[in-house]
Amino acid sequence: MRDEKKSTRFASENPGHVDLFRGERILIICDFDGTACSVDMGSKILDRFAGKGWRDIDRAYSTDEIGSRMAYLKVAPLFRGTRGQMVEYVHSNAV
């Protein structure tokens, strides 16, 4: 029988090491309406890593000027920072 090593899938399983998924696509799921988190992490992440420009895009989406696909396409290029910086930011600011 082969000795299989358990892979780590969540940063909380390996504290202090934030670059667990090197070369893999990851999905970060954040609470967006305050039901599971006392702060709006989506807005905090966008403020920190996308700057102020995302709010104009969000307003256009909220007033049905653009759809969600167009909003994401416009917001994505605004992001600055590494994946590790974003993960660390979430760990440090989620409450």
Coordinates of all heavy atoms in Angstrom, one line a residue:
M1 N 0.8 -1.2 0.0 CA 0.0 0.0 0.0 C 0.9 1.2 0.0 O 1.8 1.3 0.8 CB -0.9 0.0 1.2 CG -1.9 1.1 1.2 SD -3.3 0.7 2.3 CE -2.9 1.7 3.7
R2 N 0.6 2.1 -0.8 CA 1.3 3.4 -1.0 C 1.0 4.4 0.2 O -0.1 4.5 0.6 CB 0.9 3.9 -2.3 CG 1.5 5.1 -2.8 CD 1.1 5.3 -4.2 NE -0.2 5.9 -4.3 CZ -0.7 6.6 -5.3 NH1 0.0 6.7 -6.4 NH2 -1.9 7.2 -5.3
D3 N 2.0 5.1 0.6 CA 1.9 6.1 1.7 C 1.4 7.4 1.0 O 2.2 8.0 0.3 CB 3.2 6.3 2.4 CG 3.0 7.2 3.6 OD1 2.1 7.0 4.4 OD2 3.8 8.2 3.6
E4 N 0.2 7.8 1.2 CA -0.3 9.0 0.6 C -0.3 10.1 1.6 O -0.7 10.0 2.7 CB -1.8 8.8 0.1 CG -1.9 7.8 -1.0 CD -3.3 7.7 -1.6 OE1 -4.0 8.7 -1.5 OE2 -3.6 6.6 -2.0
K5 N 0.3 11.2 1.1 CA 0.4 12.4 1.9 C -0.9 13.3 1.8 O -1.3 13.5 0.7 CB 1.6 13.2 1.4 CG 2.0 14.4 2.3 CD 3.2 15.0 1.8 CE 3.6 16.2 2.6 NZ 4.8 16.9 2.1
K6 N -1.4 13.7 2.9 CA -2.6 14.5 2.9 C -2.2 15.9 2.4 O -1.3 16.5 2.9 CB -3.2 14.7 4.3 CG -4.5 15.5 4.3 CD -5.0 15.7 5.7 CE -6.1 16.7 5.7 NZ -6.4 17.1 7.0
S7 N -2.9 16.4 1.3 CA -2.6 17.8 0.8 C -3.3 18.8 1.6 O -4.4 18.6 2.1 CB -3.0 17.9 -0.6 OG -4.4 17.8 -0.8
T8 N -2.7 20.0 1.7 CA -3.3 21.1 2.4 C -4.1 21.9 1.5 O -3.7 22.2 0.4 CB -2.2 22.0 3.0 OG1 -1.4 21.2 3.9 CG2 -2.8 23.2 3.8
R9 N -5.4 22.2 1.8 CA -6.3 22.9 0.9 C -6.7 24.3 1.4 O -7.2 25.1 0.7 CB -7.5 22.1 0.6 CG -7.3 20.8 -0.1 CD -6.6 21.0 -1.5 NE -7.4 21.8 -2.3 CZ -6.9 22.4 -3.4 NH1 -5.6 22.3 -3.8 NH2 -7.6 23.2 -4.2
F10 N -6.5 24.5 2.7 CA -6.9 25.8 3.3 C -5.7 26.4 4.1 O -5.0 25.7 4.7 CB -8.1 25.6 4.3 CG -9.3 25.0 3.6 CD1 -9.5 23.6 3.7 CD2 -10.1 25.8 2.9 CE1 -10.6 23.1 3.1 CE2 -11.2 25.2 2.2 CZ -11.5 23.9 2.3
A11 N -5.6 27.7 4.0 CA -4.5 28.4 4.6 C -4.5 28.1 6.1 O -3.5 28.0 6.8 CB -4.5 29.9 4.3
S12 N -5.7 28.0 6.7 CA -5.8 27.8 8.2 C -5.2 26.4 8.6 O -4.8 26.2 9.8 CB -7.2 27.8 8.6 OG -8.0 26.8 8.0
E13 N -5.0 25.5 7.7 CA -4.4 24.2 8.0 C -2.9 24.3 8.0 O -2.2 23.4 8.5 CB -4.7 23.2 6.9 CG -6.2 22.8 6.8 CD -6.6 21.9 5.7 OE1 -5.7 21.5 4.9 OE2 -7.7 21.6 5.5
N14 N -2.3 25.4 7.6 CA -0.9 25.6 7.5 C -0.6 27.0 7.9 O -0.2 27.8 7.1 CB -0.3 25.3 6.1 CG 1.2 25.2 6.1 OD1 1.8 25.3 7.1 ND2 1.7 24.9 4.9
P15 N -0.8 27.4 9.2 CA -0.6 28.8 9.6 C 0.8 29.3 9.3 O 1.8 28.6 9.4 CB -0.8 28.7 11.1 CG -1.5 27.4 11.4 CD -1.1 26.5 10.3
G16 N 0.8 30.6 8.9 CA 2.1 31.3 8.6 C 2.6 31.1 7.2 O 3.6 31.6 6.8
H17 N 1.9 30.3 6.4 CA 2.3 30.0 5.0 C 1.1 30.4 4.1 O 0.1 29.7 4.1 CB 2.7 28.6 4.9 CG 3.2 28.3 3.5 ND1 4.5 28.7 3.1 CD2 2.7 27.7 2.4 CE1 4.7 28.3 1.8 NE2 3.6 27.7 1.4
V18 N 1.2 31.5 3.4 CA 0.1 31.9 2.6 C 0.1 31.6 1.2 O -0.8 31.7 0.5 CB -0.1 33.5 2.7 CG1 -0.4 33.9 4.2 CG2 1.2 34.2 2.3
D19 N 1.3 31.0 0.7 CA 1.4 30.7 -0.8 C 1.2 29.2 -1.0 O 2.1 28.5 -1.5 CB 2.7 31.2 -1.3 CG 2.7 31.3 -2.9 OD1 1.6 31.2 -3.4 OD2 3.7 31.4 -3.5
L20 N 0.0 28.7 -0.6 CA -0.2 27.2 -0.6 C -0.5 26.7 -2.0 O -0.3 25.6 -2.3 CB -1.4 26.9 0.3 CG -1.2 27.2 1.8 CD1 -2.5 26.9 2.5 CD2 -0.1 26.3 2.3
F21 N -1.0 27.6 -2.9 CA -1.5 27.1 -4.2 C -0.7 27.6 -5.4 O -1.2 27.9 -6.4 CB -3.0 27.6 -4.3 CG -3.8 27.2 -3.1 CD1 -4.1 28.1 -2.1 CD2 -4.2 25.9 -3.0 CE1 -4.9 27.7 -1.1 CE2 -5.0 25.5 -1.9 CZ -5.3 26.4 -1.0
R22 N 0.6 27.7 -5.2 CA 1.5 28.1 -6.3 C 1.2 27.4 -7.6 O 1.2 26.2 -7.6 CB 2.9 27.9 -5.9 CG 3.9 28.3 -7.0 CD 5.3 28.2 -6.5 NE 5.9 29.5 -6.9 CZ 6.5 30.3 -6.1 NH1 6.7 30.1 -4.9 NH2 7.0 31.5 -6.6
G23 N 0.9 28.1 -8.6 CA 0.6 27.5 -9.9 C -0.8 27.0 -10.1 O -1.2 26.6 -11.1
E24 N -1.7 27.1 -9.0 CA -3.0 26.6 -9.2 C -4.0 27.8 -9.2 O -3.7 28.9 -8.6 CB -3.4 25.7 -8.0 CG -2.7 24.4 -7.9 CD -3.2 23.5 -6.8 OE1 -4.4 23.6 -6.5 OE2 -2.4 22.8 -6.2
R25 N -5.1 27.6 -9.8 CA -6.1 28.7 -9.7 C -6.9 28.5 -8.3 O -7.1 27.4 -7.9 CB -7.1 28.5 -10.8 CG -6.5 28.8 -12.2 CD -7.5 28.6 -13.3 NE -8.5 29.7 -13.1 CZ -9.5 29.8 -14.0 NH1 -9.6 29.0 -15.0 NH2 -10.4 30.7 -13.8
I26 N -7.2 29.6 -7.7 CA -7.9 29.5 -6.4 C -9.1 30.4 -6.4 O -9.2 31.3 -7.3 CB -7.0 29.9 -5.2 CG1 -6.5 31.4 -5.3 CG2 -5.8 29.0 -5.1 CD1 -5.9 31.9 -4.0
L27 N -10.0 30.1 -5.6 CA -11.2 30.9 -5.4 C -11.3 31.3 -4.0 O -11.2 30.4 -3.1 CB -12.4 30.0 -5.8 CG -13.8 30.6 -5.5 CD1 -14.0 31.9 -6.4 CD2 -14.9 29.6 -5.7
I28 N -11.4 32.6 -3.7 CA -11.6 33.1 -2.4 C -13.1 33.5 -2.2 O -13.6 34.3 -3.0 CB -10.7 34.3 -2.1 CG1 -9.2 33.8 -2.1 CG2 -11.0 34.9 -0.7 CD1 -8.2 35.0 -2.0
I29 N -13.8 32.9 -1.3 CA -15.2 33.2 -1.1 C -15.2 34.1 0.1 O -14.8 33.8 1.2 CB -16.0 31.9 -0.9 CG1 -15.9 31.0 -2.1 CG2 -17.4 32.3 -0.5 CD1 -16.5 29.7 -1.9
C30 N -15.8 35.3 -0.1 CA -16.0 36.3 1.0 C -17.4 36.6 1.2 O -18.2 36.6 0.3 CB -15.3 37.6 0.6 SG -13.5 37.5 0.4
D31 N -17.8 36.8 2.5 CA -19.1 37.3 2.8 C -19.3 38.7 2.3 O -18.4 39.5 2.4 CB -19.2 37.3 4.3 CG -20.5 37.8 4.8 OD1 -21.5 37.6 4.1 OD2 -20.6 38.4 5.9
F32 N -20.4 38.9 1.6 CA -20.6 40.2 1.0 C -21.7 41.0 1.6 O -21.9 42.2 1.3 CB -20.9 40.1 -0.5 CG -22.1 39.3 -0.8 CD1 -23.3 39.9 -0.9 CD2 -22.1 37.9 -0.9 CE1 -24.5 39.2 -1.1 CE2 -23.2 37.2 -1.1 CZ -24.4 37.8 -1.3
D33 N -22.4 40.4 2.5 CA -23.6 41.2 3.0 C -23.7 41.2 4.6 O -24.7 41.6 5.1 CB -24.9 40.6 2.5 CG -25.2 39.2 2.9 OD1 -24.3 38.6 3.6 OD2 -26.2 38.7 2.5
G34 N -22.6 40.8 5.2 CA -22.6 40.9 6.7 C -23.2 39.8 7.4 O -23.4 39.8 8.6
T35 N -23.6 38.7 6.7 CA -24.3 37.6 7.4 C -23.3 36.7 8.1 O -23.6 36.1 9.1 CB -25.1 36.7 6.4 OG1 -24.2 36.3 5.4 CG2 -26.3 37.5 5.9
A36 N -22.0 36.6 7.7 CA -21.1 35.7 8.3 C -19.8 36.5 8.8 O -19.0 35.9 9.5 CB -20.6 34.6 7.3
C37 N -19.7 37.7 8.5 CA -18.5 38.5 8.8 C -19.0 39.9 9.2 O -19.9 40.4 8.6 CB -17.6 38.5 7.6 SG -16.0 39.2 7.9
S38 N -18.3 40.5 10.2 CA -18.8 41.8 10.7 C -18.3 42.9 9.8 O -18.7 44.1 10.1 CB -18.3 42.0 12.1 OG -16.9 42.0 12.2
V39 N -17.5 42.7 8.8 CA -17.0 43.7 7.9 C -17.3 43.2 6.5 O -17.4 42.0 6.2 CB -15.5 44.0 8.1 CG1 -15.2 44.6 9.5 CG2 -14.6 42.8 7.8
D40 N -17.4 44.2 5.6 CA -17.6 43.8 4.2 C -16.3 43.6 3.5 O -15.6 44.5 3.1 CB -18.4 45.0 3.5 CG -18.7 44.7 2.0 OD1 -18.1 43.8 1.4 OD2 -19.6 45.4 1.5
M41 N -15.8 42.3 3.6 CA -14.5 42.0 3.1 C -14.4 42.3 1.6 O -13.3 42.7 1.1 CB -14.1 40.6 3.4 CG -13.7 40.3 4.8 SD -12.4 41.4 5.4 CE -11.0 41.0 4.3
G42 N -15.4 42.1 0.8 CA -15.3 42.4 -0.6 C -15.0 43.8 -0.9 O -14.0 44.1 -1.6
S43 N -15.6 44.8 -0.2 CA -15.3 46.2 -0.3 C -13.9 46.5 0.2 O -13.2 47.3 -0.4 CB -16.3 47.0 0.4 OG -17.6 46.9 -0.2
K44 N -13.5 45.9 1.3 CA -12.2 46.1 1.9 C -11.1 45.7 0.9 O -10.1 46.3 0.7 CB -12.0 45.4 3.3 CG -12.8 46.1 4.4 CD -12.6 45.5 5.7 CE -11.3 45.7 6.3 NZ -11.0 47.0 6.9
I45 N -11.3 44.5 0.3 CA -10.3 44.0 -0.6 C -10.2 44.9 -1.8 O -9.1 45.2 -2.3 CB -10.7 42.5 -1.1 CG1 -10.5 41.6 0.1 CG2 -9.8 42.1 -2.3 CD1 -11.1 40.2 -0.1
L46 N -11.4 45.3 -2.3 CA -11.4 46.2 -3.5 C -10.8 47.5 -3.2 O -10.0 48.1 -4.0 CB -12.8 46.4 -4.0 CG -13.4 45.1 -4.8 CD1 -14.9 45.2 -4.8 CD2 -12.8 45.1 -6.1
D47 N -11.1 48.1 -2.0 CA -10.5 49.4 -1.6 C -9.0 49.3 -1.6 O -8.2 50.1 -2.0 CB -11.0 49.8 -0.3 CG -12.4 50.4 -0.3 OD1 -12.8 50.9 -1.4 OD2 -13.1 50.5 0.7
R48 N -8.5 48.2 -1.0 CA -7.1 48.0 -0.8 C -6.3 47.7 -2.0 O -5.2 48.2 -2.3 CB -6.8 46.9 0.3 CG -5.4 46.4 0.5 CD -4.5 47.5 1.0 NE -3.2 47.0 1.2 CZ -2.2 47.0 0.2 NH1 -2.5 47.4 -1.0 NH2 -1.0 46.5 0.5
F49 N -6.9 46.8 -2.9 CA -6.1 46.3 -4.0 C -6.6 46.8 -5.4 O -5.9 46.6 -6.4 CB -6.1 44.8 -4.0 CG -5.4 44.2 -2.9 CD1 -6.0 43.7 -1.8 CD2 -4.0 44.2 -2.9 CE1 -5.3 43.2 -0.7 CE2 -3.3 43.7 -1.8 CZ -3.9 43.2 -0.7
A50 N -7.8 47.5 -5.5 CA -8.2 48.0 -6.8 C -8.4 49.5 -6.8 O -8.6 50.1 -7.8 CB -9.6 47.4 -7.1
G51 N -8.2 50.2 -5.7 CA -8.3 51.6 -5.6 C -9.7 52.1 -5.7 O -10.7 51.4 -5.7
K52 N -9.8 53.4 -5.9 CA -11.2 54.1 -5.9 C -12.0 53.8 -7.1 O -13.2 53.9 -7.1 CB -11.0 55.6 -5.6 CG -10.4 55.9 -4.3 CD -10.3 57.4 -4.1 CE -9.7 57.6 -2.7 NZ -9.4 59.0 -2.5
G53 N -11.3 53.5 -8.2 CA -12.0 53.3 -9.5 C -13.1 52.3 -9.5 O -14.1 52.4 -10.3
W54 N -13.0 51.3 -8.6 CA -14.0 50.2 -8.6 C -15.4 50.7 -8.2 O -16.4 50.2 -8.6 CB -13.5 49.1 -7.8 CG -13.7 49.3 -6.3 CD1 -12.8 49.8 -5.4 CD2 -14.9 48.9 -5.5 NE1 -13.3 49.8 -4.2 CE2 -14.6 49.3 -4.2 CE3 -16.1 48.4 -5.8 CZ2 -15.5 49.1 -3.1 CZ3 -17.0 48.2 -4.8 CH2 -16.7 48.6 -3.5
R55 N -15.4 51.8 -7.4 CA -16.7 52.2 -6.9 C -17.6 52.8 -8.0 O -18.8 52.6 -8.0 CB -16.5 53.3 -5.8 CG -16.0 52.6 -4.5 CD -16.0 53.5 -3.3 NE -15.5 52.8 -2.1 CZ -16.3 52.1 -1.3 NH1 -17.5 51.9 -1.5 NH2 -15.7 51.5 -0.2
D56 N -17.0 53.5 -9.0 CA -17.7 54.0 -10.1 C -18.3 52.8 -10.9 O -19.5 52.8 -11.4 CB -16.9 54.8 -11.1 CG -16.4 56.1 -10.4 OD1 -17.2 56.6 -9.5 OD2 -15.4 56.6 -10.8
I57 N -17.5 51.7 -11.1 CA -18.0 50.5 -11.7 C -19.1 49.9 -11.0 O -20.2 49.5 -11.5 CB -16.8 49.6 -12.0 CG1 -15.8 50.2 -12.8 CG2 -17.3 48.2 -12.5 CD1 -14.4 49.5 -12.8
D58 N -19.0 49.8 -9.6 CA -20.0 49.3 -8.8 C -21.3 50.1 -8.9 O -22.4 49.5 -9.0 CB -19.6 49.2 -7.3 CG -20.5 48.5 -6.4 OD1 -20.8 47.3 -6.7 OD2 -21.0 49.1 -5.4
R59 N -21.2 51.4 -9.0 CA -22.4 52.3 -9.1 C -23.1 52.0 -10.4 O -24.3 51.9 -10.5 CB -22.1 53.7 -9.0 CG -22.1 54.3 -7.6 CD -21.9 55.8 -7.5 NE -20.6 56.2 -7.7 CZ -19.6 56.2 -6.8 NH1 -19.9 55.7 -5.6 NH2 -18.4 56.6 -7.1
A60 N -22.3 51.8 -11.5 CA -22.9 51.5 -12.8 C -23.6 50.2 -12.8 O -24.7 50.0 -13.4 CB -21.8 51.5 -13.9
Y61 N -23.0 49.2 -12.1 CA -23.6 47.9 -12.0 C -24.9 48.0 -11.1 O -26.0 47.4 -11.5 CB -22.7 46.9 -11.3 CG -23.3 45.6 -10.9 CD1 -23.7 44.7 -11.9 CD2 -23.6 45.3 -9.6 CE1 -24.4 43.5 -11.5 CE2 -24.2 44.2 -9.2 CZ -24.6 43.3 -10.2 OH -25.2 42.1 -9.8
S62 N -24.9 48.7 -10.0 CA -26.0 48.8 -9.1 C -27.2 49.6 -9.8 O -28.3 49.3 -9.4 CB -25.6 49.6 -7.9 OG -24.6 48.9 -7.2
T63 N -26.9 50.4 -10.7 CA -28.0 51.1 -11.4 C -28.4 50.5 -12.8 O -29.0 51.1 -13.6 CB -27.6 52.6 -11.6 OG1 -26.4 52.7 -12.4 CG2 -27.5 53.3 -10.3
D64 N -27.9 49.3 -13.0 CA -28.2 48.5 -14.2 C -27.7 49.1 -15.5 O -28.1 48.8 -16.6 CB -29.7 48.2 -14.3 CG -30.2 47.2 -13.3 OD1 -29.4 46.3 -12.9 OD2 -31.3 47.4 -12.8
E65 N -26.6 50.0 -15.4 CA -26.0 50.5 -16.6 C -25.1 49.5 -17.3 O -25.0 49.5 -18.5 CB -25.1 51.8 -16.2 CG -25.9 52.9 -15.8 CD -25.0 54.1 -15.3 OE1 -24.0 54.3 -16.0 OE2 -25.3 54.7 -14.2
I66 N -24.5 48.6 -16.4 CA -23.8 47.5 -16.9 C -24.1 46.2 -16.2 O -24.7 46.3 -15.1 CB -22.2 47.7 -16.8 CG1 -21.8 47.9 -15.4 CG2 -21.8 48.9 -17.7 CD1 -20.3 48.0 -15.1
G67 N -23.9 45.1 -16.8 CA -24.2 43.8 -16.1 C -23.0 43.4 -15.3 O -21.9 44.0 -15.3
S68 N -23.2 42.2 -14.6 CA -22.1 41.7 -13.7 C -20.9 41.3 -14.5 O -19.8 41.5 -14.0 CB -22.6 40.6 -12.9 OG -23.1 39.5 -13.7
R69 N -21.0 40.7 -15.7 CA -19.9 40.3 -16.5 C -19.0 41.5 -16.8 O -17.8 41.5 -16.7 CB -20.3 39.6 -17.7 CG -19.2 39.1 -18.6 CD -19.7 38.2 -19.7 NE -18.9 37.9 -20.8 CZ -17.6 37.6 -20.9 NH1 -16.9 37.5 -19.8 NH2 -17.0 37.4 -22.0
M70 N -19.7 42.6 -17.3 CA -18.9 43.8 -17.7 C -18.3 44.4 -16.4 O -17.1 44.9 -16.5 CB -19.8 44.8 -18.4 CG -19.1 46.0 -18.8 SD -17.7 45.7 -20.0 CE -18.5 45.0 -21.4
A71 N -19.0 44.4 -15.3 CA -18.4 45.0 -14.1 C -17.2 44.2 -13.7 O -16.1 44.8 -13.4 CB -19.5 44.9 -13.0
Y72 N -17.2 42.9 -13.7 CA -16.0 42.1 -13.4 C -14.9 42.3 -14.4 O -13.7 42.4 -14.0 CB -16.3 40.6 -13.3 CG -17.1 40.2 -12.1 CD1 -18.4 39.7 -12.1 CD2 -16.5 40.4 -10.8 CE1 -19.1 39.4 -11.0 CE2 -17.2 40.1 -9.7 CZ -18.5 39.6 -9.8 OH -19.2 39.3 -8.6
L73 N -15.2 42.4 -15.7 CA -14.2 42.7 -16.7 C -13.5 44.1 -16.5 O -12.3 44.2 -16.8 CB -14.8 42.6 -18.1 CG -15.2 41.2 -18.5 CD1 -15.9 41.2 -19.9 CD2 -13.9 40.3 -18.7
K74 N -14.3 45.0 -16.0 CA -13.7 46.4 -15.8 C -12.9 46.4 -14.4 O -12.0 47.2 -14.3 CB -14.8 47.4 -15.8 CG -15.4 47.7 -17.1 CD -16.6 48.7 -17.0 CE -17.1 49.0 -18.4 NZ -16.7 50.4 -18.7
V75 N -13.4 45.7 -13.4 CA -12.7 45.7 -12.1 C -11.4 44.9 -12.1 O -10.4 45.4 -11.6 CB -13.7 45.2 -11.0 CG1 -12.9 45.0 -9.7 CG2 -14.8 46.2 -10.8
A76 N -11.4 43.8 -12.8 CA -10.2 42.9 -12.7 C -8.9 43.6 -13.1 O -7.9 43.4 -12.3 CB -10.4 41.7 -13.6
P77 N -8.8 44.4 -14.1 CA -7.5 45.1 -14.4 C -7.1 46.1 -13.4 O -5.9 46.5 -13.4 CB -7.8 45.8 -15.7 CG -9.0 45.3 -16.3 CD -9.8 44.7 -15.1
L78 N -8.0 46.5 -12.5 CA -7.6 47.5 -11.5 C -6.8 46.9 -10.3 O -6.2 47.7 -9.6 CB -8.9 48.2 -10.9 CG -9.8 48.9 -11.9 CD1 -11.1 49.4 -11.2 CD2 -9.1 50.0 -12.6
F79 N -6.9 45.6 -10.2 CA -6.2 45.0 -9.0 C -4.7 45.1 -9.1 O -4.1 44.9 -10.2 CB -6.6 43.5 -8.9 CG -7.9 43.2 -8.2 CD1 -9.1 43.2 -8.8 CD2 -7.9 43.1 -6.8 CE1 -10.3 43.0 -8.2 CE2 -9.0 42.9 -6.1 CZ -10.2 42.8 -6.8
R80 N -4.1 45.5 -8.0 CA -2.7 45.5 -7.8 C -2.3 44.8 -6.6 O -2.9 44.9 -5.6 CB -2.2 47.0 -7.7 CG -2.6 47.9 -8.9 CD -1.8 47.5 -10.2 NE -2.1 48.3 -11.3 CZ -2.9 47.9 -12.3 NH1 -3.5 46.7 -12.3 NH2 -3.1 48.6 -13.3
G81 N -1.2 44.0 -6.7 CA -0.8 43.2 -5.5 C -0.7 41.8 -5.9 O -1.3 41.3 -6.9
T82 N 0.0 41.0 -5.1 CA 0.2 39.6 -5.3 C -0.9 38.8 -4.6 O -1.6 39.3 -3.7 CB 1.5 39.1 -4.8 OG1 1.5 39.2 -3.4 CG2 2.7 39.9 -5.4
R83 N -1.1 37.6 -5.1 CA -2.1 36.8 -4.4 C -1.8 36.6 -3.0 O -2.7 36.7 -2.1 CB -2.1 35.4 -5.1 CG -3.0 34.4 -4.5 CD -2.8 33.1 -5.1 NE -1.4 32.9 -5.4 CZ -0.9 31.8 -5.7 NH1 -1.6 30.7 -5.9 NH2 0.4 31.7 -5.9
G84 N -0.5 36.4 -2.6 CA -0.1 36.3 -1.2 C -0.4 37.5 -0.4 O -0.9 37.4 0.7
Q85 N -0.3 38.7 -1.0 CA -0.6 39.9 -0.3 C -2.1 40.0 0.0 O -2.6 40.4 1.1 CB -0.2 41.1 -1.1 CG 1.3 41.4 -1.1 CD 1.7 42.4 -2.1 OE1 1.1 42.6 -3.2 NE2 2.7 43.2 -1.8
M86 N -2.9 39.5 -1.0 CA -4.4 39.5 -0.8 C -4.8 38.6 0.2 O -5.7 38.9 1.1 CB -5.0 39.3 -2.2 CG -4.8 40.4 -3.1 SD -5.6 40.1 -4.7 CE -4.8 41.2 -5.8
V87 N -4.2 37.4 0.2 CA -4.6 36.3 1.2 C -4.2 36.8 2.6 O -5.0 36.7 3.5 CB -4.0 35.0 0.9 CG1 -4.1 34.0 2.0 CG2 -4.5 34.4 -0.4
E88 N -3.0 37.4 2.7 CA -2.6 37.9 4.0 C -3.5 39.0 4.5 O -3.9 39.1 5.7 CB -1.2 38.4 3.9 CG -0.6 38.9 5.3 CD -0.6 37.9 6.4 OE1 -0.5 36.7 6.1 OE2 -0.9 38.3 7.5
Y89 N -3.9 39.9 3.6 CA -4.8 41.0 3.9 C -6.2 40.4 4.5 O -6.7 40.9 5.5 CB -5.1 41.9 2.7 CG -5.9 43.0 3.0 CD1 -5.4 44.2 3.6 CD2 -7.3 43.0 2.7 CE1 -6.2 45.3 3.9 CE2 -8.1 44.1 3.0 CZ -7.5 45.3 3.6 OH -8.3 46.3 3.9
V90 N -6.7 39.4 3.8 CA -7.9 38.8 4.3 C -7.7 38.2 5.7 O -8.5 38.4 6.6 CB -8.4 37.7 3.3 CG1 -9.6 36.9 3.9 CG2 -8.9 38.4 2.0
H91 N -6.6 37.5 5.9 CA -6.4 36.9 7.2 C -6.2 37.9 8.3 O -6.7 37.7 9.4 CB -5.1 36.1 7.1 CG -5.3 34.7 6.5 ND1 -4.6 33.6 6.9 CD2 -6.0 34.4 5.4 CE1 -5.0 32.6 6.1 NE2 -5.8 33.0 5.2
S92 N -5.7 39.0 7.9 CA -5.4 40.1 8.9 C -6.6 40.9 9.2 O -6.7 41.6 10.2 CB -4.3 41.0 8.4 OG -3.1 40.3 8.3
N93 N -7.6 41.0 8.3 CA -8.7 41.9 8.4 C -10.1 41.2 8.6 O -11.1 41.9 8.9 CB -8.8 42.8 7.2 CG -7.6 43.8 7.2 OD1 -7.7 44.8 7.9 ND2 -6.6 43.5 6.5
A94 N -10.2 40.0 8.4 CA -11.5 39.3 8.6 C -11.8 39.1 10.0 O -10.9 38.7 10.8 CB -11.5 37.9 7.9
V95 N -12.9 39.6 10.4 CA -13.3 39.5 11.9 C -14.7 38.9 12.0 O -15.5 39.0 11.1 CB -13.2 40.8 12.6 CG1 -11.8 41.2 12.8 CG2 -14.0 41.9 11.9

